[in-house]
Amino acid sequence: MHPLALPEDDPVLSIIGLCHTLDSLAADVYGTIAASCEDDGLRTFWHEMADEETAHARLWERIYRTGKTQRLPPIFDDPQAVKDSLRRVMERVRATYDQWGSGTAVSHPFALACRLELSMLHPAFATLFYFARVTLDTDFYTPYETHLNRFIEALNTHSRATPELELLGETMQRLWRDNRVLTHCATHDELTGLLNRRGFWLLARQLAFFSQRNGTNIGVLMLDIDDFRLVNERHGHPVGDRVLKKVAATLQGRLRRSDILGRYGGEEFVAFFPAIHAAGLSTVAEELRSGVEQVETDGIRVTVSIGAAQQVIRMDPEAELTALIARADALLYAAKHAGKNQFRVEAVAG
């Protein structure tokens, strides 16, 4: 399988190319192990592992082709550090492979395979898995998890594993789970389960890039619970937390799957609509306002004020999205000053 180009002017594509190279290398290694294996059952297993790694590499090719036709938004805070880290991982894997091939240092094929499988637990993989699932509707989690579980089962069954190899298998399962949990915790609010500010920006920024390419009108709503401080003062913070969770669930239940909702901080929420008709934002704002107004938590009813802005992104998705959120926030406070429990909408000609 030919390696993908690593364009210096597109760091995300370069990282995807490195992930593709690692999976392609794993496919080659497992094919080589299978060819030298005398046990029929194990030979079949290594061939299956090679086939699965080839399938993983094709998934990376699919994402890479998407990025070539429509430039992917920035996903990593420090892409150069991620690339350097992946290159170091690859060097270690190749060195281990060379040692195994020469019959020195690494004698057990499962030890070599453990090194390969551990490399696929690099945090960059988890970040890209999340990005691909949410914005490209591509599932990496299921095939990788199935592959890893099959490998660990075979490790325990066929390798006459030493305690060290058994520990490596347990470590890989724990790392897989921890990476998924850490990715979720880094992007989601613990109380409400919504995206946190970082997670919202990660997705909204990506979707803004796609909206620019598609020429679609986008919308943003900023929502704030009216007089929420009084809820905490009169009823206590545990009740206030339950109110926040109920409001979050109410808002989420009235949005489309393609829309994203985040807790922006305190009692403030933000919603992003990657494609919405110019006349639709007022309708959505009213649905959310009235939906919250009708909900009761521990005998308490609250209301929200909403600011909404929309436009077609023309030049700079990140800068224009930032400005759009600022305008929606200003409209939110205009709704507050006008009496609360209402919304203000600014329509920007596209």
Side-chain angles (χ1 to χ4, degrees):
M1 191 170 293
H2 296 295
L4 300 175
L6 306 180
E8 290 300 324
D9 63 335
D10 195 323
V12 179
L13 271 187
S14 294
I15 292 168
I16 291 171
L18 288 169
C19 293
H20 172 270
T21 300
L22 275 168
D23 273 323
S24 299
L25 175 61
D28 291 342
V29 170
Y30 292 148
T32 302
I33 293 174
S36 64
C37 188
E38 298 179 357
D39 181 281
D40 290 342
L42 274 176
R43 187 185 308 112
T44 298
F45 165 75
W46 290 118
H47 277 307
E48 290 172 347
M49 292 289 286
D51 290 343
E52 289 172 5
E53 293 292 5
T54 299
H56 297 167
R58 289 189 179 127
L59 282 174
W60 291 120
E61 289 175 356
R62 175 184 169 188
I63 303 301
Y64 188 90
R65 287 195 299 270
T66 300
K68 290 285 286 185
T69 57
Q70 47 185 35
R71 186 178 179 88
L72 298 175
I75 299 170
F76 299 95
D77 294 332
D78 189 346
Q80 186 59 51
V82 174
K83 288 193 290 183
D84 292 343
S85 177
L86 284 171
R87 286 191 175 104
R88 288 193 296 270
V89 168
M90 197 174 308
E91 289 170 1
R92 289 195 294 269
V93 170
R94 290 190 186 280
T96 306
Y97 185 32
D98 291 343
Q99 291 171 357
W100 179 78
S102 64
T104 62
V106 181
S107 59
H108 205 300
F110 273 97
L112 171 60
C114 280
R115 168 74 75 170
L116 278 164
E117 296 301 322
L118 278 168
S119 73
M120 260 69 85
L121 298 179
H122 190 283
F125 279 69
T127 300
L128 286 167
F129 291 171
Y130 180 72
F131 163 75
R133 186 188 66 184
V134 173
T135 61
L136 302 178
D137 198 26
T138 301
D139 179 20
F140 275 89
Y141 285 115
T142 300
Y144 268 85
E145 186 165 34
T146 301
H147 173 86
L148 180 63
N149 288 338
R150 288 187 66 251
F151 171 75
I152 292 172
E153 181 181 351
L155 174 69
N156 294 331
T157 302
H158 296 292
S159 70
R160 299 185 182 91
T162 64
E164 291 80 6
L165 285 179
E166 290 178 343
L167 179 60
L168 270 176
E170 294 172 3
T171 299
M172 282 189 286
Q173 284 184 316
R174 186 174 65 252
L175 281 173
W176 172 261
R177 291 192 299 266
D178 288 351
N179 277 348
R180 292 199 66 171
V181 169
L182 286 172
T183 301
H184 187 272
C185 289
T187 54
H188 287 76
D189 173 57
E190 183 178 4
L191 176 65
T192 63
L194 299 180
L195 293 166
N196 58 22
R197 184 182 289 220
R198 182 181 187 279
F200 172 83
W201 269 103
L202 176 67
L203 294 188
R205 188 168 53 184
Q206 295 165 11
L207 292 173
F209 273 79
F210 293 132
S211 295
Q212 179 200 31
R213 283 187 287 271
N214 296 329
T216 54
N217 189 66
I218 67 170
V220 169
L221 296 182
M222 295 295 293
L223 310 92
D224 188 81
I225 301 176
D226 297 323
D227 301 316
F228 184 72
R229 179 178 57 83
L230 297 178
V231 174
N232 284 327
E233 290 178 354
R234 294 171 181 172
H235 305 282
H237 287 282
V239 173
D241 286 349
R242 290 196 289 274
V243 170
L244 280 169
K245 291 172 69 174
K246 179 63 72 69
V247 169
T250 301
L251 297 174
Q252 187 72 77
R254 284 164 169 75
L255 297 181
R256 304 168 301 181
R257 183 181 176 185
S258 59
D259 306 327
I260 60 174
L261 176 68
R263 184 182 177 191
Y264 216 57
E267 61 271 25
E268 191 173 29
F269 301 87
V270 58
F272 176 82
F273 305 86
I276 189 167
H277 294 299
L281 206 56
S282 294
T283 301
V284 174
E286 174 56 23
E287 287 178 356
L288 297 180
R289 187 206 63 76
S290 63
V292 171
E293 186 180 40
Q294 296 167 26
V295 171
E296 184 175 296
T297 306
D298 293 358
I300 302 167
R301 290 182 182 271
V302 295
T303 61
V304 291
S305 297
I306 302 173
Q310 59 188 334
Q311 71 175 79
V312 175
I313 290 180
R314 299 298 187 188
M315 300 294 294
D316 186 334
E318 189 164 4
E320 291 178 42
L321 176 61
T322 299
L324 189 64
I325 289 176
R327 293 204 304 272
D329 201 43
L331 289 162
L332 161 64
Y333 284 97
K336 290 275 191 186
H337 292 315
K340 304 176 184 176
N341 191 24
Q342 56 187 280
F343 62 88
R344 291 287 184 272
V345 177
E346 172 200 65
V348 178

